[in-house]
Amino acid sequence: MDCVFCGIVAGERPASFVHRDERVIAFADLHPVNPGHLLVVPRVHAAGLADLPEEDGAGMFAAARSLAGALRASGLRCEGVDLLLADGEAAGQEVPHVHLHVIPRFRGDGFGFRFPAGYGAAATRADLDRAAAAVSAAVARDRGDPARRRGGR
């Protein structure tokens, strides 16, 4: 496997680190949206969020919480912070090793999400109930089986 993030975790590739602990590392993104854009990466390889041990996922979000505060106190331009985790190619994940972006934001920075036509129209309660029932059934059926949650079977 030639995973760029595993190479950084192993010390085989360079990175500008801002955090390291037993579960995760965090470093400056090579292609930042804004100065201070960070990536929080678990030390263990997991392609997607459902593949990641729960403790490592919790460690990612704990580190991101701390780093968001650090960005605000850093002197870098930071009026807000986005956390972005793209899970799967269709969601925009480019490196198949789960990672969490911590992106400092400011008014007029040009970054943002584009919503599709029709966004903002409220869904019907029946549609919401159907979607919730489908997800709830999958949680009950697949509890403890990450391969099933990712659609592996």
Side-chain angles (χ1 to χ4, degrees):
M1 174 186 344
D2 187 29
C3 173
V4 64
F5 291 160
C6 286
I8 292 170
V9 167
E12 298 165 355
R13 292 179 180 248
S16 298
F17 293 97
V18 297
H19 174 86
R20 297 181 216 204
D21 66 31
E22 66 278 356
R23 296 207 177 275
V24 302
I25 60 172
F27 50 89
D29 191 311
L30 187 59
H31 304 284
V33 168
N34 289 316
H37 179 167
L38 306 171
L39 298 177
V40 181
V41 176
R43 289 182 179 272
V44 62
H45 182 83
L49 189 57
D51 302 322
L52 188 66
E54 188 172 327
E55 301 80 19
D56 295 310
M60 285 176 57
F61 281 91
R65 180 194 139 311
S66 175
L67 293 168
L71 281 168
R72 290 178 181 273
S74 70
L76 294 171
R77 190 165 182 196
C78 181
E79 298 169 8
V81 176
D82 274 342
L83 299 181
L84 173 64
L85 192 152
D87 190 16
E89 191 175 333
Q93 183 179 12
E94 294 177 354
V95 177
H97 183 129
V98 67
H99 55 287
L100 180 61
H101 295 259
V102 182
I103 306 169
R105 299 294 310 278
F106 51 87
R107 290 192 200 308
D109 67 9
F111 182 72
F113 294 102
R114 287 178 283 132
F115 295 102
Y119 175 79
T124 67
R125 178 59 49 204
D127 287 341
L128 295 171
D129 287 345
R130 270 192 295 281
V135 173
S136 294
V139 167
R141 182 179 61 246
D142 300 333
R143 192 172 311 257
D145 186 352
R148 289 189 66 148
R149 285 194 302 268
R150 290 200 44 85
R153 287 189 220 163

